[in-house]
Structure formats: C-alpha cells, structure tokens
Amino acid sequence: MTAGANQLESNLQPASQTETQSGIIPADLDYASPGPFRVARLPRIEHTCHKLFPQCLGTQCLLRLDIFCPKGGSSFGAAPPYPLAIFTGGFLVGSGAYVSYAERLASWGYVTVLYDKAETAVDNLDDVISVKFIQEIMDWCGSHPVVSRVSDTSRVYLCGHSRGGKLSVLAAAVDPRVVALCLLDPVDNTVWAPLGPGYPSAIQALKLLGSKQTIEGRAGVPLALVGSGLGGDCAPKAANFRLFYEACTAPSWMVSVEQAGHFQFLDKQSSMQRAVCAQGRLPDYSVRQLSQAVMVAWAQATIPPNHDDSQQVTPLGVEGTVLGRDAAASDVVSKALTAISDPYVQLQSQTKNI
C-alpha cells in the first residue's frame, strides 16, 4: 500500500472495531442540523482519468477530489460501507463553495465527494464528457484500496447546483448506480449552452428515464429540488427547476425559496456572482440551511445508510423511516424554518408520486 493510501487508511479507522451494520441513524434527529457522525476530511487527491482519453487531453483529464467520510457510528450501530454521494458544482464554481454541503452529508452517514475539473471559460468540457467524469469518480471510489472499503458505490446519491444539477440528472439517466437525486436551482440548456452536440437536455433525459422505467423495468430515480424564486437570467424560467420537477415521473419533492437568488446556495459568493445574479432578502446562510435540510431528509428517505435488505423498501426508502415515519416533507421544511427563524422566509413546497 502506498504512503498516500496509508494516510487515508489512518484517517478512516473506525472509532471502535466493534461497529456492526445492524443499525440505522436515530430517527429523532433534526435534519436541519449536523448529524450524529463525526466527519473526516481526507487530504486532497489528484486523479488522472486515463480511460477518457482522447475525449479529454492533457490536464483536462485531471480531477481534484476532496472526500468527506463519516466516523464514529458505533454508538448507534452504524458501520461502513456507507452510500456514496457526489456533489457537482455550477459552471466554473470551485468545489470549495460547497464544503458545508459535503460536511453535512458526511455527518449523516454518506461518503461525500467534491471535485474540480480542469476547465476554463474558453476551454470548457461539454456535458457529455462531464457526465463521464462523474461516472469515473464512481469507478475510482469502487476500486480504490481504501475508499472502496467505506463507500458503497452500488448506491449513489448525486447532488448538484446549477449546471451541476443538470449533469447529475444526465448521469442518473445513463448509470443505474444512481438511486437518488437532489438538485439545487438546476439549469438546463440556455442561450449560453444551447441544445446541441455535447449538450443534451437534462429535462428531456428525465422524461426518457421515465420511459425506461416503464419499458426496461428500471427503478425510478427519486428527485428532490430546491429552487430560487429570483433565478432571473442565471436560471431562466425556460430551463429552471420547475421544469425538472414537471418532467420527473419518479417520487419528487420540490421546494421553492422565493427570496433566494441563484448563487445564494454557495458557502461564499464572489463579488462577481453577487453582481451578475439577483440577491434575495433571505440571508445566504438561511438558504443553505433550508437546502441542506432538504438534501439530508431526501437522502435519509431514499438511500439510508446501513440499509438492511430485510426491511421493506418503499418509493421513499425504508418503511418506517424519515419521511415515511417521523416527518412528512412539509414537516422537514417546518423544522428547518424553526431553526432559521428568519422573517424573510417564503416557501412553496410540493410533492408527487409519493
């Protein structure tokens, strides 16, 4: 084992060698708050996607990965492997803008990957190759001598913001390892990235995925959406989250945050991002808290850690857990609202096929 792998190994040692896979996360916790696990952030890893050559060339084949792992689950009977979550950021938005999302997911029992591609505004990678990068991350996690021991790559939760939401859908449409989706203000094709070679429509992919579900017997991919009411030109109405929701035939949950702008989901906005996209009256922190509450609740409902195959699975996960037992979708939002207590919170929440 290499020195780098040894370092990963030491970071991922469980708190107790007596951990078992018999338990699940306690159900009386608040999804608007950090979960019961401690979080171990591994040293950044660089991975060259050799098998994608020549679709990518030179440094464009390089991925920089940050991995966040749950630790300390022995006190409530949780143990690896944990579901794999991959968070894809918006166009040219660095993964450092989403660290709080990765930390939150890991605290609830998900091995979570943030990543950066080597692209620029004038030398960017199209959607088709970008989806292959997501699949490459799944493959890499499943084959890495250490990461494969703590992550279950047969049960993948894809999350994404803006273009990252679109890419997550496109990946789910072609890879059956993806079993749930959470999109934050996703954007489909626009005048900046029109429909064409290399840039398919994620909304159309959702519709086709529904057809595959019927024809091939493939399970639907449950979808949660959090959208901004002030997306404007950054998330045009002709390509925004509402159309993703309409296109999905699987269990779906949509929350619209009326006083939020497109970049208020980030951990920190740049001055350029604030200037380009509208800003709502709701503080950025509150937008993140709401989004993370939805993201965690949906994960726990659709792809719970330490899933016991003997338990009955419903379209929203394990019978008797999370949305099926202690909280309806509206209750999750209510908990988040209580935690935020912000006078400018205005929400619309709806579900279908649940």
Side-chain angles (χ1 to χ4, degrees), residues 14 17 32 37 71 76 90 107 126-127 144 156 161 173 198 226 231 234 244 248 270 274 311 337 348:
Q17 295 298 326
F37 290 87
K71 291 187 70 176
F76 43 89
S107 78
D126 68 29
D127 291 347
H144 190 277
V156 180
H161 169 243
V226 184
C234 295
F244 282 78
C248 186
S270 68
R274 289 189 179 277
Q311 293 173 295
L337 289 174
Q348 295 180 4

Side-chain angles (χ1 to χ4, degrees), residues 19-53:
E19 290 185 354
T20 69
Q21 282 191 292
S22 61
I24 59 173
I25 289 175
D28 57 348
L29 298 179
D30 182 357
Y31 308 118
S33 301
F37 290 87
R38 298 195 309 276
V39 178
R41 180 174 181 173
L42 307 187
R44 172 164 272 210
I45 298 168
E46 291 191 349
H47 170 64
T48 300
C49 306
H50 297 288
K51 66 183 180 183
L52 298 187
F53 175 85

Side-chain angles (χ1 to χ4, degrees), residues 124-139:
N124 63 297
L125 296 159
D126 68 29
D127 291 347
V128 172
I129 186 66
S130 294
V131 165
K132 291 183 179 180
F133 276 115
I134 295 175
Q135 294 180 288
E136 173 75 8
I137 293 171
M138 297 184 216
D139 294 342

Side-chain angles (χ1 to χ4, degrees), residues 63-341:
L63 285 175
R64 294 178 173 88
L65 307 170
D66 287 292
I67 302 173
F68 301 74
C69 296
K71 291 187 70 176
S74 58
S75 61
F76 43 89
Y82 299 110
L84 177 66
I86 301 173
F87 196 109
T88 302
F91 180 60
L92 298 183
V93 179
S95 63
Y98 305 102
V99 169
S100 69
Y101 291 88
E103 291 176 337
R104 182 62 58 86
L105 276 172
S107 78
W108 282 92
Y110 300 85
V111 174
T112 306
V113 179
L114 296 179
Y115 68 97
D116 289 304
K117 298 177 292 183
E119 63 178 342
T120 66
V122 296
D123 191 22
N124 63 297
L125 296 159
D126 68 29
D127 291 347
V128 172
I129 186 66
S130 294
V131 165
K132 291 183 179 180
F133 276 115
I134 295 175
Q135 294 180 288
E136 173 75 8
I137 293 171
M138 297 184 216
D139 294 342
W140 179 86
C141 289
S143 62
H144 190 277
V146 177
V147 178
S148 63
R149 292 168 51 189
V150 295
S151 61
D152 180 357
T153 57
S154 70
R155 303 169 63 226
V156 180
Y157 186 40
L158 292 187
C159 306
H161 169 243
S162 192
R163 184 199 183 197
K166 175 188 181 182
L167 295 176
S168 296
V169 169
L170 292 174
V174 297
D175 200 310
R177 291 174 291 184
V178 181
V179 298
L181 289 161
C182 181
L183 315 181
L184 309 179
D185 219 24
V187 182
D188 202 28
N189 300 98
T190 66
V191 294
W192 311 109
L195 183 68
Y199 295 92
S201 166
I203 293 171
Q204 185 62 30
L206 276 176
K207 296 177 181 178
L208 292 175
L209 189 56
S211 300
K212 286 184 179 180
Q213 178 184 348
T214 301
I215 297 172
E216 301 175 6
R218 177 178 171 182
V221 181
L223 169 66
L225 292 150
V226 184
S228 67
L230 302 174
D233 290 339
C234 295
K237 289 184 178 179
N240 75 0
F241 68 100
R242 296 185 187 278
L243 298 185
F244 282 78
Y245 181 74
E246 291 173 6
C248 186
T249 59
S252 309
W253 179 21
M254 179 179 69
V255 178
S256 173
V257 188
E258 298 304 310
Q259 279 297 320
H262 185 63
F263 281 125
Q264 289 187 261
F265 295 84
L266 307 187
D267 287 351
K268 184 178 181 180
Q269 296 187 66
S270 68
S271 56
M272 177 64 73
Q273 288 164 341
R274 289 189 179 277
V276 169
C277 295
Q279 303 291 307
R281 291 181 293 174
L282 192 64
D284 295 4
Y285 173 78
S286 298
V287 176
R288 292 195 302 273
Q289 284 292 93
L290 283 165
S291 300
Q292 290 168 15
V294 171
M295 176 184 70
V296 168
W298 197 246
Q300 293 284 290
T302 58
I303 182 171
N306 301 124
H307 168 54
D308 183 346
D309 288 336
S310 67
Q311 293 173 295
Q312 181 181 353
V313 176
T314 71
L316 278 183
V318 180
E319 180 66 31
T321 64
V322 195
L323 300 187
R325 178 183 61 203
D326 67 315
S330 59
D331 294 328
V332 173
V333 174
S334 296
K335 284 185 177 182
L337 289 174
T338 301
I340 293 167
S341 299

